[in-house]
Amino acid sequence: MFSYRHAFHAGNHADVLKHTVLVAMLQHLLQKDTALTVFDTHAGAGLYRLDGDYAETSGEAANGFMRLVKELENGTPATSTEAPATKGSAAGKVKTPAKPTLDDLAPALKAYLEMVASFNNKGSHKVYPGSPFIIQRLLGDRDKLKLFEIHPTDIKTLAANIAQLEAGRQVAVLREDGFEGIKKFLPPPARRALVFCDPSYEIKNDYLRVVAMVADSLTRFATGTYAVWYPIIPRPEAHDVPRKLKTLATKAGRSWLNATLTVKNSKLLSDEAGDVKRPGLPASGMFIINPPHTLKAALQLALPQLVAVLGQDQHATFSVDAGG
Ligand code: SAM
């Protein structure tokens, strides 16, 4: 039985990164005339309450989405006007990135915050949309969304949440293994697709299965856009994910982009009593194969601002690398 429930983590710094990237990708992909099919291989429950028991227990949104909202509400003035970089730290050798204000907020962060705001009454931040609802909100009539989820409780919540949209055949909720289930849908009818893959990595095998899924999918449909979230933690199999995905993209002759956001030190810390404190997730990344050509520039503006706001110590940093 899986114990991972995304409700404990909704709106954390990893969600801010992955959902900012998701919105930026979709805004570009949905500009074309041909229909897009979006696959969300690990969908979660779809909608979360930031004032609910789960979120309040973990408080992870306080250092993610809510921290961004509060910083902008406080209106802290910018402290640096440096041009966009590809790497940078919150308090490091490069230069302290500027804290954004509403006036100079990167367009990708603005679009992300507007997306979350569209699920809430003005000035309220109680509801946090998961990837299924973010995607569905941006789709046009001709586009399709296929959601995979296997947790027995979350699949029911997801199905009930999606039913309220009355989206009909546009959205399919599938109680299937996303790594396997996607195979039968590739290539999609109009030959345009975004595959969004956001596993919990609760099972060590997920690290291998992500790479195997992308490898198999590229043989079926090489021109699709594949976006994989991964944690950056001191485990070799986690480090292997972007390395192996880059090798796959390069061998297939496809372009790629790897964006990372680190908010704090990853080392275990001891408190004054000598007890070891678990640091929580320090960093994560999004690896995209066949990214929209606009994504790199968008993230080079957004990620320094996220470092400035979400960075918790001098280890906070970001990177945007691309090739192919
Ligand atoms: N993508 C969601 C979002 O951004 O709102 C969050 C997804 S959460 C990180 C991962 C989800 O994948 C969990 O709800 C978990 O139950 C589900 N899951 C785990 N293994 C799966 C599998 N093999 N196929 C489909 N879903 C799976």
Side-chain angles (χ1 to χ4, degrees):
M1 172 60 75
F2 293 98
S3 60
Y4 181 93
R5 308 292 302 282
H6 195 66
F8 287 109
H9 310 284
N12 68 2
H13 64 84
D15 266 9
V16 175
L17 172 67
K18 77 177 80 141
H19 294 154
T20 298
V21 172
L22 179 61
V23 172
M25 288 190 300
L26 282 170
Q27 281 184 330
H28 180 82
L29 291 169
L30 290 166
Q31 279 173 9
K32 300 250 164 72
D33 285 337
T34 323
L36 182 76
T37 306
V38 185
F39 300 93
D40 191 345
T41 60
H42 294 68
L47 279 178
Y48 306 94
R49 299 278 313 187
L50 293 182
D51 59 348
D53 288 346
Y54 291 112
E56 288 192 344
T57 306
S58 72
E60 288 191 26
N63 276 323
F65 167 71
M66 285 310 299
R67 190 163 165 151
L68 186 56
V69 166
K70 287 196 174 142
E71 189 70 46
L72 291 166
E73 283 174 354
N74 289 342
T76 319
T79 54
S80 164
T81 52
E82 209 180 43
T86 52
K87 281 185 170 54
S89 64
K93 304 149 218 143
V94 183
K95 179 144 185 178
T96 306
K99 284 196 174 180
T101 63
L102 275 176
D103 289 339
D104 61 14
L105 191 63
L109 293 180
K110 196 160 180 277
Y112 161 70
L113 288 173
E114 282 172 1
M115 169 59 70
V116 183
S118 73
F119 289 87
N120 287 280
N121 293 327
K122 197 168 188 315
S124 158
H125 312 290
K126 290 183 179 163
V127 176
Y128 189 84
S131 49
F133 275 71
I134 292 175
I135 298 163
Q136 197 278 337
R137 180 127 316 177
L138 290 169
L139 294 187
D141 291 343
R142 66 202 168 176
D143 307 310
K144 297 265 190 285
L145 171 59
K146 304 217 181 288
L147 304 167
F148 299 89
E149 174 57 51
I150 51 171
H151 192 286
T153 309
D154 281 355
I155 183 75
K156 282 191 198 138
T157 311
L158 176 66
N161 283 333
I162 292 290
Q164 291 192 12
L165 289 172
E166 297 185 358
R169 290 158 63 95
Q170 182 185 48
V171 184
V173 179
L174 303 152
R175 186 175 183 167
E176 286 179 39
D177 180 328
F179 293 125
E180 279 299 311
I182 189 161
K183 289 182 179 172
K184 59 179 173 287
F185 292 112
L186 296 181
R191 300 195 80 85
R192 292 192 68 235
L194 167 65
V195 178
F196 184 71
C197 184
D198 178 25
S200 46
Y201 298 95
E202 191 185 359
I203 302 169
K204 204 172 156 187
N205 205 23
D206 278 0
Y207 293 100
L208 295 175
R209 296 191 76 200
V210 162
V211 176
M213 184 276 286
V214 174
D216 176 78
S217 299
L218 281 172
T219 65
R220 293 169 192 273
F221 181 46
T223 54
T225 297
Y226 298 90
V228 174
W229 178 86
Y230 61 94
I232 301 178
I233 49 175
R235 290 179 72 151
E237 56 274 25
H239 287 289
D240 280 350
V241 170
R243 192 178 55 75
K244 288 179 176 172
L245 291 175
K246 185 174 162 184
T247 302
L248 283 179
T250 308
K251 279 193 178 154
R254 312 311 308 181
S255 58
W256 58 271
L257 184 150
N258 187 28
T260 70
L261 175 66
T262 301
V263 299
K264 61 183 173 183
N265 193 356
S266 65
K267 299 248 162 31
L268 294 177
L269 303 170
S270 303
D271 63 16
E272 282 166 11
D275 293 329
V276 173
K277 289 195 297 177
R278 292 208 150 271
L281 182 70
S284 71
M286 284 293 294
F287 196 100
I288 300 117
I289 297 179
N290 296 323
H293 69 86
T294 47
L295 190 60
K296 184 176 177 189
L299 296 181
Q300 282 174 338
L301 288 175
L303 292 191
Q305 296 189 340
L306 285 183
V307 171
V309 176
L310 304 185
Q312 296 176 33
D313 60 30
Q314 74 275 21
H315 296 271
T317 187
F318 75 96
S319 65
V320 183
D321 297 314

